[in-house]
Amino acid sequence: MSPHQTTRGARERARRAMRAEVARTVQDLVLEHGYEGTTVDDVCTAAEISRSTFFRYFSSKEEALFGVTADAGEYLRDALAARPPDETPWIAMRRALTPLMEEYGAGDERTRRLTRLIVNTPPLAALHREKNARWHELLRPEIARRLGVDPADVSDPRADAVIAAALGCVEATLYAWTSGARPQPLQEILDRAMGAVRDVE
């Protein structure tokens, strides 16, 4: 590895660490003061950074609130592409989702509170759906390939249907996970959700 590559890698790690730190600050403030009660200036004060530094890493308070999950679409796409070629698109999607569900499930009650806030706050729920739309586009080429479908053929609904159904199951899983007083295991909820879709005749 060249010195240039080493330096670039170090810069990227530092950037990710700063993004994660600022995102956690936003999340802590929103959980304490509410979504409407938290401003970018509040975040900058708590994180001891300037507004220009904040906007170097995030375009808005909302983007920062989603933190590393905003980038999870790329990881999901790569996990999907790494699944064995003989797996059906539905099975490959379910197994590719495992690391994401493990990350959510490994969180403490704070993670569940934050997820509940996102799914129950209309502006944040809308941004969550926009994030899912971006994930949809990232996943489409690989699902289309597994189906033997031309990704550019928008007249064929199969790839879009598989992705929409899978992401809908994730959405239903998060709602179920955050709705009860005692959380159920995320993997089990997702298995039930995706199993219900698979078994529809």
Side-chain angles (χ1 to χ4, degrees):
M1 182 179 293
S2 71
H4 175 71
Q5 290 173 315
T6 301
T7 301
R8 186 171 58 187
R11 282 199 302 265
E12 179 59 25
R13 286 191 296 275
R15 176 182 171 277
R16 287 181 180 275
M18 176 58 84
R19 277 175 59 87
E21 182 180 337
V22 174
R24 185 168 186 90
T25 299
V26 174
Q27 293 163 0
D28 288 343
L29 288 173
V30 166
L31 287 174
E32 183 177 355
H33 302 291
Y35 167 68
E36 296 291 349
T38 301
T39 67
V40 170
D41 286 336
D42 294 332
V43 175
C44 293
T45 298
E48 299 182 343
I49 58 175
S50 66
R51 285 177 63 88
S52 61
T53 297
F54 176 89
F55 287 113
R56 190 178 306 141
Y57 293 99
F58 295 102
S59 64
S60 65
K61 171 185 73 176
E62 292 78 12
E63 182 188 351
L65 181 62
F66 281 91
V68 294
T69 62
D71 302 324
E74 286 81 4
Y75 296 108
L76 181 55
R77 175 197 61 200
D78 295 344
L80 178 62
R83 297 304 310 167
D86 60 338
E87 286 184 350
T88 66
W90 193 247
I91 294 298
M93 274 293 298
R94 171 61 190 93
R95 292 176 179 164
L97 282 163
T98 293
L100 182 62
M101 292 296 101
E102 286 177 344
E103 184 175 342
Y104 268 104
D108 51 18
E109 180 60 21
R110 175 185 177 279
T111 303
R112 204 164 75 101
R113 286 176 59 210
L114 187 63
T115 304
R116 184 187 297 119
L117 175 76
I118 289 171
V119 299
N120 289 308
T121 303
L124 297 178
L127 287 171
H128 180 64
R129 288 190 292 272
E130 288 179 15
K131 171 181 63 68
N132 281 355
R134 291 193 298 274
W135 289 14
H136 190 120
E137 292 306 311
L138 286 170
L139 299 173
R140 195 177 192 283
E142 176 60 20
I143 291 295
R145 185 189 69 77
R146 286 176 179 271
L147 287 168
V149 173
D150 178 1
D153 183 5
V154 295
S155 67
D156 192 317
R158 287 176 289 172
D160 289 324
V162 170
I163 299 165
L167 293 181
C169 287
V170 172
E171 191 88 359
T173 295
L174 294 179
Y175 273 108
W177 185 55
T178 60
S179 63
R182 298 178 61 185
Q184 307 169 61
L186 264 174
Q187 301 282 9
E188 292 180 12
I189 304 172
L190 183 60
D191 281 337
R192 282 158 50 202
M194 294 188 74
V197 174
R198 181 195 60 215
D199 295 338
V200 169
E201 295 182 0

